[in-house]
Amino acid sequence: MSDITTTADMFMKTRDKILLSSLELFNERGERNVTTNHIAAHLAISPGNLYYHFRNKSDIIYEIFLEYEKLVDYYLDIPEDRAMTLDDMTFYLESVFDGLWSYRFFHRDLEYLLDSDSRLRKDYREFTNRCLSAISRIFEKLSEAGIIEEQPDNLRAAMSLNVWLVITNWMAFLKTAHAEETYAALTLTELKQGIYQVLTLEIPYLTPAYRDRVMALRENYRPSLPERRLEGVPV
Amino acid sequence: MSDITTTADMFMKTRDKILLSSLELFNERGERNVTTNHIAAHLAISPGNLYYHFRNKSDIIYEIFLEYEKLVDYYLDIPEDRAMTLDDMTFYLESVFDGLWSYRFFHRDLEYLLDSDSRLRKDYREFTNRCLSAISRIFEKLSEAGIIEEQPDNLRAAMSLNVWLVITNWMAFLKTAHAEETYAALTLTELKQGIYQVLTLEIPYLTPAYRDRVMALRENYRPSLPERRLEGVPV
DNA sequence: GACTCCCTAGAGTATATACTCTAATAATAC
DNA sequence: GTATTATTAGAGTATATACTCTAGGGAGTC
């Protein structure tokens, strides 16, 4: 995957360095805790310089969203000229969680961000709709490929929405489940245990031909030590 | 349901008025957008007065959380002396969404709130565990009652977690799906369409004896006009 | 009346935050 | 070289925010 979290270096344009550092700081500390002055200080540039490149903080966030959107749209581009395989499905899941990870600040303060920028609100709504369509289309193609049973349209739509809810809320859940207070105390590996949860949703719909293979795939993402963190839940 | 959103009146103690008004304002505008000065002004009391009753803003939030916790714990108290009915299940779902509604500010800025108050973080973790246990126990009792098929423990745990993820993320989803920017533009009725999504998770596990009844119940919560808001999703 | 205790007003403060302004420097074009 | 444009520094500002401090009122008790 692209190495998005690399620290900005001296060969980059200031504008790009600002975007990159902002993303890093937002991811580490949360957007709410990162000021424009912090970003400038982090890059050892003046606030004036930062505001030369961006009119305000919202514009920085918006541009980062556009990158995120582009990445996910790229990942969720579904080839229509061939049948879907289990590897495809794995790729989609892995990719979406990679994207979530790289831009993980975004879903944290989502509601506030959308309330402060109506342009972002509009774009994000359309983005959500595209993602929901893609998920639904993936289910359709998985049926065509005989991996999951065919389902009526409205059930597929509701299932797709549940998949979206689980995906977008998994990280928030992990962070609240964590005992540590540091925002950074979360790993990509843990995040990808969300795939286990998503595959859980598919279980009852798997065809006999693929059931065992998908269950084996799911095992790869089984949370390693959930009973220590969630002692109340039977495992 | 308790009429929590009633405006504070002159017969209440100042301390309670502060809690009530804070909750109202937080719910309407989001915690991030409500300052202690706003709360005081709303009640027409001085900031000094407010700080006589509460050491800081976190303490106000913490006390509100304790109320929330108490409410949900009360709702999710599962009677062990009798079998579970469909009505029970409906009651649990309705109650949980009522609770979410009354304290809807809470899940909005959850991560920030937990990061700013380690006491809250700890309590919330335990609260989550209790909720997950309750959900899991509800599934168990639904099996015992012959409403859903019996499932292995680890599947039930994963399913319970998915239910929790859908419940706690449903409101955030609704707000991002809304075109309107106002935080208040959300109704309890819409919120309860989350029940449709939760019941969607149960569908494949329903026993033949109860399948039709649950599907009919689910229809009561079907989103009224999702295709207008989510034009990309087949319905 | 005086003492005490609970409560309240309201001015005030230290700090932070998003953002601006001016002047100067580097880069590029001609 | 010179003119022009792009970029940068850095001090500064208006506003907001969480919270403090002092003074005092009101009610009950002796």
Side-chain angles (χ1 to χ4, degrees):
Chain A
M1 305 302 136
S2 58
D3 200 356
I4 283 171
T5 50
T6 307
T7 304
D9 67 39
M10 57 188 300
F11 302 110
M12 297 177 71
K13 284 187 173 174
T14 302
R15 192 188 152 81
D16 293 330
K17 286 198 287 190
I18 292 169
L19 287 175
L20 197 53
S21 282
S22 299
L23 177 57
E24 279 179 27
L25 293 173
F26 290 161
N27 278 342
E28 273 168 29
R29 305 180 202 169
E31 178 271 339
R32 186 171 181 172
N33 300 317
V34 176
T35 72
T36 49
N37 291 351
H38 287 147
I39 299 166
H42 184 78
L43 283 167
I45 66 172
S46 63
N49 194 354
L50 185 146
Y51 279 91
Y52 170 79
H53 290 283
F54 294 93
R55 273 181 28 249
N56 51 44
K57 196 181 173 187
S58 275
D59 275 7
I60 298 177
I61 293 164
Y62 184 67
E63 295 241 1
I64 294 177
F65 165 72
L66 291 180
E67 286 175 11
Y68 175 47
E69 193 181 24
K70 214 167 109 184
L71 183 73
V72 176
D73 279 343
Y74 171 75
Y75 282 149
L76 287 185
D77 182 47
I78 297 158
E80 292 293 347
D81 56 345
R82 60 174 178 81
M84 186 161 292
T85 66
L86 258 191
D87 283 347
D88 288 327
M89 188 184 75
T90 312
F91 171 79
Y92 292 133
L93 285 167
E94 287 269 350
S95 303
V96 165
F97 279 91
D98 280 332
L100 272 176
W101 173 255
S102 300
Y103 296 87
R104 59 193 178 279
F105 86 94
F106 189 71
H107 286 273
R108 184 190 194 192
D109 286 309
L110 186 56
E111 289 183 48
Y112 176 82
L113 296 178
L114 299 191
D115 276 356
S116 336
D117 186 347
S118 60
R119 185 183 41 163
L120 183 63
R121 164 172 288 271
K122 183 173 164 296
D123 285 11
Y124 182 76
R125 267 183 65 219
E126 289 163 10
F127 172 69
T128 302
N129 287 334
R130 283 202 305 283
C131 289
L132 285 170
S133 296
I135 295 169
S136 191
R137 184 72 191 119
I138 289 170
F139 275 132
E140 257 178 342
K141 295 210 70 169
L142 287 174
S143 304
E144 288 165 18
I147 296 171
I148 65 170
E149 307 282 358
E150 200 121 7
Q151 299 300 331
D153 282 354
N154 63 357
L155 179 57
R156 184 152 29 76
M159 278 172 56
S160 302
L161 185 45
N162 277 341
V163 167
W164 175 251
L165 293 172
V166 168
I167 288 175
T168 54
N169 202 30
W170 175 248
M171 187 158 44
F173 168 77
L174 267 187
K175 272 181 285 183
T176 62
H178 254 284
E180 293 81 33
E181 279 136 51
T182 44
Y183 189 68
L186 185 71
T187 65
L188 182 54
T189 310
E190 281 177 300
L191 183 63
K192 289 204 173 170
Q193 291 163 0
I195 295 177
Y196 183 86
Q197 291 303 126
V198 175
L199 290 178
T200 300
L201 296 174
E202 292 186 17
I203 291 178
Y205 302 97
L206 296 171
T207 57
Y210 276 90
R211 190 179 177 82
D212 290 347
R213 287 179 58 190
V214 176
M215 292 302 278
L217 175 67
R218 175 168 170 266
E219 275 309 306
N220 297 336
Y221 301 101
R222 173 192 279 275
S224 42
L225 305 158
E227 68 278 10
R228 289 201 195 153
R229 224 168 27 234
L230 305 169
E231 58 278 0
V233 185
V235 183
Chain B
M1 306 304 134
S2 59
D3 201 357
I4 282 169
T5 50
T6 308
T7 305
D9 66 38
M10 56 187 302
F11 302 111
M12 297 179 69
K13 284 189 173 172
T14 302
R15 191 188 153 82
D16 294 329
K17 285 198 287 189
I18 292 169
L19 287 174
L20 198 52
S21 280
S22 299
L23 177 57
E24 279 179 28
L25 292 174
F26 290 160
N27 278 343
E28 273 169 31
R29 305 181 203 168
E31 179 271 340
R32 185 171 181 171
N33 300 317
V34 176
T35 71
T36 48
N37 291 350
H38 286 147
I39 299 167
H42 185 77
L43 283 168
I45 65 172
S46 64
N49 194 353
L50 186 145
Y51 278 92
Y52 171 78
H53 291 283
F54 294 93
R55 273 182 28 247
N56 51 43
K57 197 180 173 187
S58 276
D59 275 8
I60 298 177
I61 293 164
Y62 184 67
E63 294 240 3
I64 294 177
F65 165 72
L66 291 181
E67 287 175 10
Y68 175 48
E69 193 182 23
K70 214 167 110 185
L71 184 73
V72 176
D73 279 343
Y74 171 75
Y75 282 149
L76 287 185
D77 182 46
I78 298 158
E80 292 293 346
D81 56 344
R82 60 174 178 82
M84 186 162 290
T85 66
L86 258 191
D87 283 347
D88 288 327
M89 188 183 76
T90 313
F91 171 79
Y92 293 133
L93 285 166
E94 287 269 349
S95 303
V96 165
F97 278 91
D98 279 331
L100 272 176
W101 174 256
S102 299
Y103 296 86
R104 59 193 178 279
F105 87 93
F106 189 70
H107 286 274
R108 185 189 193 190
D109 286 308
L110 186 57
E111 290 183 47
Y112 176 82
L113 296 178
L114 299 192
D115 275 357
S116 335
D117 186 345
S118 58
R119 186 183 40 164
L120 183 63
R121 163 171 289 270
K122 184 173 164 296
D123 286 10
Y124 182 76
R125 268 182 65 219
E126 289 163 9
F127 173 70
T128 303
N129 287 334
R130 283 202 305 283
C131 290
L132 285 170
S133 296
I135 295 169
S136 191
R137 184 71 191 121
I138 289 170
F139 274 133
E140 255 178 341
K141 295 210 69 168
L142 287 173
S143 304
E144 289 166 15
I147 296 172
I148 66 171
E149 308 281 0
E150 200 122 6
Q151 301 299 331
D153 282 355
N154 65 354
L155 179 56
R156 184 153 30 76
M159 277 172 58
S160 302
L161 185 45
N162 277 340
V163 167
W164 176 251
L165 292 173
V166 168
I167 288 174
T168 55
N169 201 32
W170 174 248
M171 186 157 46
F173 168 77
L174 267 187
K175 272 181 284 183
T176 63
H178 254 283
E180 295 83 32
E181 279 136 51
T182 44
Y183 187 68
L186 185 71
T187 64
L188 181 55
T189 309
E190 281 177 300
L191 183 63
K192 289 205 174 170
Q193 291 162 0
I195 296 177
Y196 184 87
Q197 291 302 127
V198 174
L199 291 178
T200 300
L201 296 175
E202 292 185 16
I203 291 178
Y205 301 97
L206 295 171
T207 57
Y210 276 90
R211 190 179 178 82
D212 290 347
R213 286 178 60 189
V214 176
M215 293 302 279
L217 175 67
R218 175 168 172 265
E219 274 310 305
N220 297 336
Y221 300 101
R222 174 191 279 276
S224 43
L225 306 158
E227 68 277 11
R228 290 202 193 151
R229 222 165 33 232
L230 305 170
E231 58 278 359
V233 184
V235 181

